Amino acid sequence: MEHLELFFKSIFIDNMVFATFLGMCSYLAVSKKVSTAVGLGAAVIFVLAVTVPINWLLDQYLLQPGALSWLGAEYADYDLSFLSFIMFIATIATMVQLVEIIVEKFAPALYNSLGIFLPLIAVNCAILGGSLFMQSREIPTLGLSLTYGVGSGIGWFLAILAIAAIREKIRYSSVPPALRGLGITFIITGLMAIGFMSFGGMLTGGDEEKKEEAPKAEIKKEDLEKAKKEAEAKLADNTKKITE
């Protein structure tokens, strides 16, 4: 259940494009054709699915304060967290280079259509954001980090695929001259972001624990009578003191 919740949350609620607006350069530049968007989206899914778990291992066993304790007690005080950005980017660049080689070998037409944006996945802020969000949210297990990486990639893929399909249809629509191009694209992106954020209600309906009602204290009749008599006695004593 935890994997399923994280999977859908990373796709819809914490979508890289619509929730945090990461990866917008590739999202806007490569979304003119559906075929190109599918190729780049598949590459992003692969890179996120591989780099997020690898970076989770690096963070857990190398970068966190005290992560080197597995080497011995003398290494327990080492803190290599300042190397997080360098290590994460190196991992991402390696995987992107692998993707570029595979695409060039097996899909040269897609390689040529993606152009410079395929190697630029290495500096795509959505890819780095996946690893940094994994680190900041302290995802506890390797399996959950894989789920988060795949879900984030699918979320980015759905975003660029949807906007590419819409932009292909917009070519035959009568768009006001002032909004043609990026203007109408930004407006549609904002409307899509509102739609994706509405999925938040799916995962919050049953989270709140039912508050247990506090047991009502039962007051016995004898105790009530006793308290009444004590109050009357005190009132009589006070009245007597005042009159004296």
Side-chain angles (χ1 to χ4, degrees):
M1 184 62 184
E2 189 177 2
H3 285 267
L4 189 62
E5 181 178 350
L6 181 61
F7 180 71
F8 282 105
K9 189 174 181 181
S10 58
I11 293 176
F12 298 106
I13 303 170
D14 295 331
N15 187 282
M16 286 292 182
V17 175
F18 298 133
T20 56
F21 293 98
L22 295 179
M24 292 296 293
C25 51
S26 303
Y27 168 82
L28 294 172
V30 193
S31 60
K32 296 178 181 179
K33 292 184 179 180
V34 172
S35 58
T36 309
V38 169
L40 185 63
V44 168
I45 292 175
F46 175 79
V47 173
L48 276 172
V50 175
T51 57
V52 172
I54 292 177
N55 287 333
W56 184 90
L57 292 172
L58 290 175
D59 184 55
Q60 292 292 319
Y61 298 104
L62 187 63
L63 300 175
Q64 284 187 7
L68 294 176
S69 57
W70 57 276
L71 292 175
E74 62 273 18
Y75 298 98
D77 295 332
Y78 283 78
D79 182 5
L80 300 179
S81 58
F82 63 93
L83 295 174
S84 294
F85 283 91
I86 297 175
M87 298 296 291
F88 288 174
I89 292 174
T91 303
I92 292 168
T94 303
M95 290 301 106
V96 170
Q97 187 66 32
L98 178 62
V99 170
E100 187 177 1
I101 294 172
I102 293 173
V103 173
E104 185 179 10
K105 177 70 175 178
F106 296 101
L110 177 61
Y111 178 82
N112 293 327
S113 63
L114 289 175
I116 190 63
F117 290 99
L118 183 57
L120 281 180
I121 295 177
V123 291
N124 189 337
C125 49
I127 306 295
L128 181 60
S131 296
L132 294 178
F133 287 149
M134 171 274 300
Q135 184 185 48
S136 64
R137 293 170 184 175
E138 299 180 350
I139 292 179
T141 65
L142 179 63
L144 285 173
S145 68
L146 175 61
T147 301
Y148 179 73
V150 174
S152 299
I154 293 175
W156 199 90
F157 172 79
L158 289 178
I160 194 171
L161 179 63
I163 195 64
I166 294 173
R167 290 181 76 176
E168 281 193 355
K169 296 295 183 182
I170 283 180
R171 294 177 187 174
Y172 309 103
S173 302
S174 179
V175 180
L179 295 178
R180 289 174 185 171
L182 290 180
I184 192 65
T185 303
F186 276 116
I187 293 174
I188 294 172
T189 299
L191 295 175
M192 291 170 64
I194 296 173
F196 269 63
M197 294 297 288
S198 65
F199 285 97
M202 292 194 311
L203 302 178
T204 58
D207 290 344
E208 296 182 359
E209 298 180 355
K210 295 181 179 180
K211 297 180 180 180
E212 297 181 358
E213 294 183 0
K216 297 180 180 179
E218 296 182 359
I219 302 176
K220 295 182 179 180
K221 188 176 180 180
E222 295 81 3
D223 296 337
L224 186 60
E225 292 291 338
K226 184 178 179 182
K228 185 178 179 181
K229 289 180 180 179
E230 290 177 356
E232 289 177 352
K234 288 182 180 180
L235 181 61
D237 292 339
N238 291 334
T239 305
K240 185 176 179 181
K241 289 179 182 179
I242 292 172
T243 53
E244 290 178 355

